[in-house]
Amino acid sequence: MSNPGLERAIAIAAKVEAFVRDLVAPYDQEARLGPHRPSEDLVMERREKARAAGVMTPHILADGSHLSQRETAIVLKASGLSPLGPTAVNTMAPDEGNMYLIGKVATPALRERFLKPLVAGEVRSAFFMTEPAAEGGAGSDPSMMKTTCHRDGDHWLINGRKAFITGADGARVGIIMAKSEDGACMFLVELPDPAIRIERVLNTIDSTMPGGHAVIAIDNLRVPADQMLGASGDGFKYAQVRLSPARLSHCMRWLGSVIRAHEIATAYACRREAFGKLLVDHEGVGFMLADNLIDLQQAELMIDWCAGVLDGGSLGTAESSMTKVAVSEALMRVADRCVQVMGGTGVTGDTIVERVFREIRAFRIYDGPTEVHKWSLAKKVKRDFLQAQER
Ligand SMILES: Cc1cc2nc3c(=O)[nH]c(=O)nc-3n(C[C@H](O)[C@H](O)[C@H](O)COP(=O)(O)OP(=O)(O)OC[C@H]3O[C@@H](n4cnc5c(N)ncnc54)[C@H](O)[C@@H]3O)c2cc1C
């Protein structure tokens, strides 16, 4: 049965894949990638190429409409075929989720000011929620948020500290979460701002996100009242809008990167010999590659299923939790097997395999660690059971 939406997405994805394989993957070993983050000039240089190839922000169409989640999955997987791909074509985190949120909840005036340059790929953004663990701030439990906001005439005053803020260093748009006496609030702010100080960029296991992950101090930041998204106390409700699609888009992109790692490990096993035959012909190696195929196929099916749930209009909170756990854990297994199949080469920077392995390790933590998703699913199991008992 023909499906024009999916056919359109397949055509966009083919262009994105050709661009990422031909014009991004050759930069996979670039010195400018750096140990913790790619340099801004490398990002902007690849973006120029993406613009010229007509693949900039490929999941948002020229008329401003967004591909469906099922369509987005096909395109974002293609963008992930190099870890640098999402950054080059502007499908990366946190910008992809931030663009989605601003597109859904901001006023036309705020969209014009903040969303337009993001969609054009001219600027980057950051999402400020997590706070330093040592100070007892928000982490797995966002309700522990300590950053405050107080109304002051036509403005809000924000104070607090944030941690792990991806892309904050170099970002021009920020979405800041803080707590008023009504509850959580969300603000759109222009960056940089002297009241938002980058204390340090963390030395993390992953290395593909521009700007890295920063610890931030916010001292008396004044934000005009019309830059609050929604009403005071609506912050978590608005965060929900971003939650499931953003979780799912990590799965989509990293699926692409792990597929590429599997391709590299397969090529190694099909060329390298040990004990008189190709590695792939040793059952221990062949089975690892077979297990990769099974995990990758299951991950793709979970993503497609969850995307369909979101396209049906559901918030998909439980479904995106299940998918995030299943996909991040499956991709971790695949990435680990790819390293193992390649022996010593697997742990070197000579291919992207070790980088993908490190990226997926971090992915098991952000946007909800595996245990937190399982814990919330377990609560749902109990709730559903008790409700069924009452009927
Ligand atoms: C690379 C990276 C990028 C990030 N980018 C951003 C960003 O841009 N913006 C932002 O706001 N945040 C960002 N984060 C923060 C991320 O969302 C948090 O790290 C995550 O929510 C976990 O919080 P925490 O680190 O404080 O861990 P903690 O809350 O201290 O939890 C530690 C561990 O405790 C366990 N745990 C917690 N709760 C439960 C439970 N209910 N049941 C069972 N086990 C549990 C889990 O195993 C968890 O890993 C990023 C993190 C990383 C690593």
PDB file of all heavy atoms in Angstrom, residues 189-216:
ATOM      1  N   VAL A 189      15.476  32.127  26.488  1.00  0.00           N
ATOM      2  CA  VAL A 189      16.393  33.252  26.699  1.00  0.00           C
ATOM      3  C   VAL A 189      17.425  33.332  25.579  1.00  0.00           C
ATOM      4  O   VAL A 189      17.758  32.332  24.946  1.00  0.00           O
ATOM      5  CB  VAL A 189      17.147  33.143  28.050  1.00  0.00           C
ATOM      6  CG1 VAL A 189      16.179  33.104  29.218  1.00  0.00           C
ATOM      7  CG2 VAL A 189      18.068  31.937  28.087  1.00  0.00           C
ATOM      8  N   GLU A 190      17.888  34.558  25.375  1.00  0.00           N
ATOM      9  CA  GLU A 190      18.976  34.769  24.414  1.00  0.00           C
ATOM     10  C   GLU A 190      20.301  34.518  25.106  1.00  0.00           C
ATOM     11  O   GLU A 190      20.496  34.928  26.252  1.00  0.00           O
ATOM     12  CB  GLU A 190      18.939  36.221  23.942  1.00  0.00           C
ATOM     13  CG  GLU A 190      18.563  36.352  22.499  1.00  0.00           C
ATOM     14  CD  GLU A 190      18.321  37.791  22.109  1.00  0.00           C
ATOM     15  OE1 GLU A 190      19.077  38.657  22.578  1.00  0.00           O
ATOM     16  OE2 GLU A 190      17.376  38.027  21.357  1.00  0.00           O
ATOM     17  N   LEU A 191      21.228  33.894  24.424  1.00  0.00           N
ATOM     18  CA  LEU A 191      22.563  33.643  24.958  1.00  0.00           C
ATOM     19  C   LEU A 191      23.596  34.239  23.996  1.00  0.00           C
ATOM     20  O   LEU A 191      23.292  34.373  22.805  1.00  0.00           O
ATOM     21  CB  LEU A 191      22.801  32.126  25.088  1.00  0.00           C
ATOM     22  CG  LEU A 191      21.856  31.363  26.018  1.00  0.00           C
ATOM     23  CD1 LEU A 191      22.131  29.868  25.908  1.00  0.00           C
ATOM     24  CD2 LEU A 191      22.026  31.805  27.466  1.00  0.00           C
ATOM     25  N   PRO A 192      24.773  34.587  24.453  1.00  0.00           N
ATOM     26  CA  PRO A 192      25.206  34.546  25.842  1.00  0.00           C
ATOM     27  C   PRO A 192      24.619  35.706  26.626  1.00  0.00           C
ATOM     28  O   PRO A 192      24.141  36.684  26.038  1.00  0.00           O
ATOM     29  CB  PRO A 192      26.728  34.671  25.731  1.00  0.00           C
ATOM     30  CG  PRO A 192      26.953  35.443  24.466  1.00  0.00           C
ATOM     31  CD  PRO A 192      25.829  35.072  23.542  1.00  0.00           C
ATOM     32  N   ASP A 193      24.641  35.584  27.963  1.00  0.00           N
ATOM     33  CA  ASP A 193      24.163  36.644  28.846  1.00  0.00           C
ATOM     34  C   ASP A 193      25.131  36.699  30.026  1.00  0.00           C
ATOM     35  O   ASP A 193      25.500  35.640  30.555  1.00  0.00           O
ATOM     36  CB  ASP A 193      22.750  36.289  29.333  1.00  0.00           C
ATOM     37  CG  ASP A 193      22.106  37.430  30.095  1.00  0.00           C
ATOM     38  OD1 ASP A 193      22.661  37.845  31.159  1.00  0.00           O
ATOM     39  OD2 ASP A 193      21.049  37.906  29.650  1.00  0.00           O
ATOM     40  N   PRO A 194      25.553  37.922  30.406  1.00  0.00           N
ATOM     41  CA  PRO A 194      26.544  37.995  31.496  1.00  0.00           C
ATOM     42  C   PRO A 194      26.053  37.358  32.805  1.00  0.00           C
ATOM     43  O   PRO A 194      26.875  36.960  33.641  1.00  0.00           O
ATOM     44  CB  PRO A 194      26.769  39.504  31.693  1.00  0.00           C
ATOM     45  CG  PRO A 194      25.897  40.204  30.723  1.00  0.00           C
ATOM     46  CD  PRO A 194      25.219  39.223  29.841  1.00  0.00           C
ATOM     47  N   ALA A 195      24.722  37.222  32.959  1.00  0.00           N
ATOM     48  CA  ALA A 195      24.192  36.617  34.191  1.00  0.00           C
ATOM     49  C   ALA A 195      24.251  35.084  34.145  1.00  0.00           C
ATOM     50  O   ALA A 195      23.939  34.415  35.127  1.00  0.00           O
ATOM     51  CB  ALA A 195      22.747  37.071  34.413  1.00  0.00           C
ATOM     52  N   ILE A 196      24.637  34.539  32.976  1.00  0.00           N
ATOM     53  CA  ILE A 196      24.759  33.075  32.852  1.00  0.00           C
ATOM     54  C   ILE A 196      26.235  32.768  32.605  1.00  0.00           C
ATOM     55  O   ILE A 196      26.763  33.018  31.523  1.00  0.00           O
ATOM     56  CB  ILE A 196      23.901  32.541  31.681  1.00  0.00           C
ATOM     57  CG1 ILE A 196      22.435  32.921  31.887  1.00  0.00           C
ATOM     58  CG2 ILE A 196      24.051  31.029  31.544  1.00  0.00           C
ATOM     59  CD1 ILE A 196      21.526  32.502  30.756  1.00  0.00           C
ATOM     60  N   ARG A 197      26.870  32.247  33.659  1.00  0.00           N
ATOM     61  CA  ARG A 197      28.332  32.067  33.594  1.00  0.00           C
ATOM     62  C   ARG A 197      28.680  30.588  33.446  1.00  0.00           C
ATOM     63  O   ARG A 197      28.203  29.752  34.235  1.00  0.00           O
ATOM     64  CB  ARG A 197      28.957  32.638  34.866  1.00  0.00           C
ATOM     65  CG  ARG A 197      30.452  32.859  34.800  1.00  0.00           C
ATOM     66  CD  ARG A 197      30.919  33.793  35.926  1.00  0.00           C
ATOM     67  NE  ARG A 197      30.152  33.640  37.157  1.00  0.00           N
ATOM     68  CZ  ARG A 197      30.393  32.731  38.097  1.00  0.00           C
ATOM     69  NH1 ARG A 197      31.379  31.867  37.961  1.00  0.00           N
ATOM     70  NH2 ARG A 197      29.636  32.672  39.188  1.00  0.00           N
ATOM     71  N   ILE A 198      29.489  30.280  32.414  1.00  0.00           N
ATOM     72  CA  ILE A 198      29.945  28.898  32.255  1.00  0.00           C
ATOM     73  C   ILE A 198      31.123  28.690  33.196  1.00  0.00           C
ATOM     74  O   ILE A 198      32.179  29.294  33.003  1.00  0.00           O
ATOM     75  CB  ILE A 198      30.325  28.601  30.798  1.00  0.00           C
ATOM     76  CG1 ILE A 198      29.042  28.690  29.957  1.00  0.00           C
ATOM     77  CG2 ILE A 198      30.995  27.236  30.657  1.00  0.00           C
ATOM     78  CD1 ILE A 198      29.224  28.551  28.491  1.00  0.00           C
ATOM     79  N   GLU A 199      30.931  27.870  34.233  1.00  0.00           N
ATOM     80  CA  GLU A 199      32.009  27.656  35.208  1.00  0.00           C
ATOM     81  C   GLU A 199      33.062  26.718  34.636  1.00  0.00           C
ATOM     82  O   GLU A 199      34.251  26.940  34.784  1.00  0.00           O
ATOM     83  CB  GLU A 199      31.444  27.083  36.503  1.00  0.00           C
ATOM     84  CG  GLU A 199      30.570  28.089  37.250  1.00  0.00           C
ATOM     85  CD  GLU A 199      30.073  27.547  38.570  1.00  0.00           C
ATOM     86  OE1 GLU A 199      30.171  26.322  38.812  1.00  0.00           O
ATOM     87  OE2 GLU A 199      29.577  28.361  39.370  1.00  0.00           O
ATOM     88  N   ARG A 200      32.587  25.640  33.997  1.00  0.00           N
ATOM     89  CA  ARG A 200      33.542  24.721  33.357  1.00  0.00           C
ATOM     90  C   ARG A 200      32.792  23.796  32.410  1.00  0.00           C
ATOM     91  O   ARG A 200      31.584  23.576  32.584  1.00  0.00           O
ATOM     92  CB  ARG A 200      34.330  23.912  34.388  1.00  0.00           C
ATOM     93  CG  ARG A 200      33.488  22.987  35.218  1.00  0.00           C
ATOM     94  CD  ARG A 200      34.273  22.445  36.408  1.00  0.00           C
ATOM     95  NE  ARG A 200      33.414  21.616  37.236  1.00  0.00           N
ATOM     96  CZ  ARG A 200      33.498  20.295  37.319  1.00  0.00           C
ATOM     97  NH1 ARG A 200      34.415  19.638  36.639  1.00  0.00           N
ATOM     98  NH2 ARG A 200      32.685  19.610  38.087  1.00  0.00           N
ATOM     99  N   VAL A 201      33.523  23.309  31.429  1.00  0.00           N
ATOM    100  CA  VAL A 201      32.960  22.285  30.541  1.00  0.00           C
ATOM    101  C   VAL A 201      33.510  20.948  31.037  1.00  0.00           C
ATOM    102  O   VAL A 201      34.719  20.791  31.221  1.00  0.00           O
ATOM    103  CB  VAL A 201      33.333  22.563  29.067  1.00  0.00           C
ATOM    104  CG1 VAL A 201      32.870  21.429  28.173  1.00  0.00           C
ATOM    105  CG2 VAL A 201      32.709  23.888  28.615  1.00  0.00           C
ATOM    106  N   LEU A 202      32.594  20.007  31.284  1.00  0.00           N
ATOM    107  CA  LEU A 202      32.979  18.748  31.933  1.00  0.00           C
ATOM    108  C   LEU A 202      33.812  17.862  31.009  1.00  0.00           C
ATOM    109  O   LEU A 202      33.647  17.887  29.786  1.00  0.00           O
ATOM    110  CB  LEU A 202      31.717  17.990  32.371  1.00  0.00           C
ATOM    111  CG  LEU A 202      30.911  18.690  33.471  1.00  0.00           C
ATOM    112  CD1 LEU A 202      29.486  18.153  33.511  1.00  0.00           C
ATOM    113  CD2 LEU A 202      31.596  18.492  34.815  1.00  0.00           C
ATOM    114  N   ASN A 203      34.654  17.081  31.644  1.00  0.00           N
ATOM    115  CA  ASN A 203      35.466  16.103  30.926  1.00  0.00           C
ATOM    116  C   ASN A 203      34.662  14.796  30.885  1.00  0.00           C
ATOM    117  O   ASN A 203      34.712  13.998  31.805  1.00  0.00           O
ATOM    118  CB  ASN A 203      36.770  15.954  31.726  1.00  0.00           C
ATOM    119  CG  ASN A 203      37.679  14.923  31.151  1.00  0.00           C
ATOM    120  OD1 ASN A 203      37.343  14.236  30.208  1.00  0.00           O
ATOM    121  ND2 ASN A 203      38.859  14.807  31.746  1.00  0.00           N
ATOM    122  N   THR A 204      33.869  14.608  29.818  1.00  0.00           N
ATOM    123  CA  THR A 204      32.947  13.461  29.785  1.00  0.00           C
ATOM    124  C   THR A 204      33.432  12.365  28.834  1.00  0.00           C
ATOM    125  O   THR A 204      34.300  12.593  27.993  1.00  0.00           O
ATOM    126  CB  THR A 204      31.538  13.901  29.330  1.00  0.00           C
ATOM    127  OG1 THR A 204      31.670  14.630  28.104  1.00  0.00           O
ATOM    128  CG2 THR A 204      30.852  14.749  30.363  1.00  0.00           C
ATOM    129  N   ILE A 205      32.807  11.194  28.944  1.00  0.00           N
ATOM    130  CA  ILE A 205      33.183  10.016  28.146  1.00  0.00           C
ATOM    131  C   ILE A 205      32.846  10.211  26.668  1.00  0.00           C
ATOM    132  O   ILE A 205      33.496   9.674  25.786  1.00  0.00           O
ATOM    133  CB  ILE A 205      32.453   8.780  28.740  1.00  0.00           C
ATOM    134  CG1 ILE A 205      33.016   7.471  28.243  1.00  0.00           C
ATOM    135  CG2 ILE A 205      30.965   8.822  28.458  1.00  0.00           C
ATOM    136  CD1 ILE A 205      32.460   6.252  29.006  1.00  0.00           C
ATOM    137  N   ASP A 206      31.801  11.009  26.391  1.00  0.00           N
ATOM    138  CA  ASP A 206      31.356  11.209  25.006  1.00  0.00           C
ATOM    139  C   ASP A 206      32.078  12.424  24.421  1.00  0.00           C
ATOM    140  O   ASP A 206      32.699  13.188  25.149  1.00  0.00           O
ATOM    141  CB  ASP A 206      29.833  11.420  24.960  1.00  0.00           C
ATOM    142  CG  ASP A 206      29.435  12.703  25.637  1.00  0.00           C
ATOM    143  OD1 ASP A 206      30.004  13.005  26.704  1.00  0.00           O
ATOM    144  OD2 ASP A 206      28.583  13.430  25.100  1.00  0.00           O
ATOM    145  N   SER A 207      31.954  12.605  23.088  1.00  0.00           N
ATOM    146  CA  SER A 207      32.756  13.688  22.492  1.00  0.00           C
ATOM    147  C   SER A 207      32.170  14.307  21.225  1.00  0.00           C
ATOM    148  O   SER A 207      32.865  15.041  20.537  1.00  0.00           O
ATOM    149  CB  SER A 207      34.165  13.156  22.188  1.00  0.00           C
ATOM    150  OG  SER A 207      34.088  12.041  21.325  1.00  0.00           O
ATOM    151  N   THR A 208      30.891  14.037  20.905  1.00  0.00           N
ATOM    152  CA  THR A 208      30.425  14.540  19.605  1.00  0.00           C
ATOM    153  C   THR A 208      29.564  15.792  19.680  1.00  0.00           C
ATOM    154  O   THR A 208      29.176  16.335  18.653  1.00  0.00           O
ATOM    155  CB  THR A 208      29.589  13.486  18.854  1.00  0.00           C
ATOM    156  OG1 THR A 208      28.475  13.156  19.660  1.00  0.00           O
ATOM    157  CG2 THR A 208      30.383  12.266  18.518  1.00  0.00           C
ATOM    158  N   MET A 209      29.219  16.237  20.906  1.00  0.00           N
ATOM    159  CA  MET A 209      28.250  17.333  20.975  1.00  0.00           C
ATOM    160  C   MET A 209      28.967  18.691  21.026  1.00  0.00           C
ATOM    161  O   MET A 209      29.776  18.929  21.928  1.00  0.00           O
ATOM    162  CB  MET A 209      27.352  17.167  22.208  1.00  0.00           C
ATOM    163  CG  MET A 209      26.832  15.750  22.324  1.00  0.00           C
ATOM    164  SD  MET A 209      25.067  15.672  22.397  1.00  0.00           S
ATOM    165  CE  MET A 209      24.801  13.892  22.472  1.00  0.00           C
ATOM    166  N   PRO A 210      28.660  19.582  20.065  1.00  0.00           N
ATOM    167  CA  PRO A 210      29.312  20.896  20.075  1.00  0.00           C
ATOM    168  C   PRO A 210      29.074  21.608  21.405  1.00  0.00           C
ATOM    169  O   PRO A 210      27.970  21.554  21.945  1.00  0.00           O
ATOM    170  CB  PRO A 210      28.617  21.651  18.940  1.00  0.00           C
ATOM    171  CG  PRO A 210      27.973  20.622  18.104  1.00  0.00           C
ATOM    172  CD  PRO A 210      27.695  19.448  18.986  1.00  0.00           C
ATOM    173  N   GLY A 211      30.109  22.256  21.921  1.00  0.00           N
ATOM    174  CA  GLY A 211      29.967  22.958  23.195  1.00  0.00           C
ATOM    175  C   GLY A 211      30.190  22.061  24.404  1.00  0.00           C
ATOM    176  O   GLY A 211      30.367  22.551  25.516  1.00  0.00           O
ATOM    177  N   GLY A 212      30.172  20.737  24.224  1.00  0.00           N
ATOM    178  CA  GLY A 212      30.341  19.821  25.352  1.00  0.00           C
ATOM    179  C   GLY A 212      29.204  19.970  26.345  1.00  0.00           C
ATOM    180  O   GLY A 212      28.091  20.384  25.998  1.00  0.00           O
ATOM    181  N   HIS A 213      29.482  19.655  27.618  1.00  0.00           N
ATOM    182  CA  HIS A 213      28.444  19.670  28.661  1.00  0.00           C
ATOM    183  C   HIS A 213      28.950  20.552  29.809  1.00  0.00           C
ATOM    184  O   HIS A 213      29.983  20.233  30.403  1.00  0.00           O
ATOM    185  CB  HIS A 213      28.160  18.265  29.159  1.00  0.00           C
ATOM    186  CG  HIS A 213      28.008  17.269  28.041  1.00  0.00           C
ATOM    187  ND1 HIS A 213      26.898  17.213  27.233  1.00  0.00           N
ATOM    188  CD2 HIS A 213      28.860  16.312  27.567  1.00  0.00           C
ATOM    189  CE1 HIS A 213      27.058  16.260  26.318  1.00  0.00           C
ATOM    190  NE2 HIS A 213      28.241  15.701  26.502  1.00  0.00           N
ATOM    191  N   ALA A 214      28.227  21.624  30.106  1.00  0.00           N
ATOM    192  CA  ALA A 214      28.780  22.646  31.006  1.00  0.00           C
ATOM    193  C   ALA A 214      28.096  22.690  32.367  1.00  0.00           C
ATOM    194  O   ALA A 214      26.919  22.360  32.509  1.00  0.00           O
ATOM    195  CB  ALA A 214      28.651  24.020  30.342  1.00  0.00           C
ATOM    196  N   VAL A 215      28.888  23.132  33.351  1.00  0.00           N
ATOM    197  CA  VAL A 215      28.349  23.505  34.655  1.00  0.00           C
ATOM    198  C   VAL A 215      28.184  25.024  34.627  1.00  0.00           C
ATOM    199  O   VAL A 215      29.101  25.746  34.207  1.00  0.00           O
ATOM    200  CB  VAL A 215      29.312  23.097  35.804  1.00  0.00           C
ATOM    201  CG1 VAL A 215      28.765  23.540  37.157  1.00  0.00           C
ATOM    202  CG2 VAL A 215      29.556  21.595  35.789  1.00  0.00           C
ATOM    203  N   ILE A 216      27.014  25.488  35.055  1.00  0.00           N
ATOM    204  CA  ILE A 216      26.636  26.886  34.826  1.00  0.00           C
ATOM    205  C   ILE A 216      26.162  27.539  36.124  1.00  0.00           C
ATOM    206  O   ILE A 216      25.422  26.908  36.886  1.00  0.00           O
ATOM    207  CB  ILE A 216      25.427  26.936  33.852  1.00  0.00           C
ATOM    208  CG1 ILE A 216      25.682  26.085  32.612  1.00  0.00           C
ATOM    209  CG2 ILE A 216      24.962  28.347  33.553  1.00  0.00           C
ATOM    210  CD1 ILE A 216      26.089  26.788  31.396  1.00  0.00           C
TER     211      ILE A 216
END
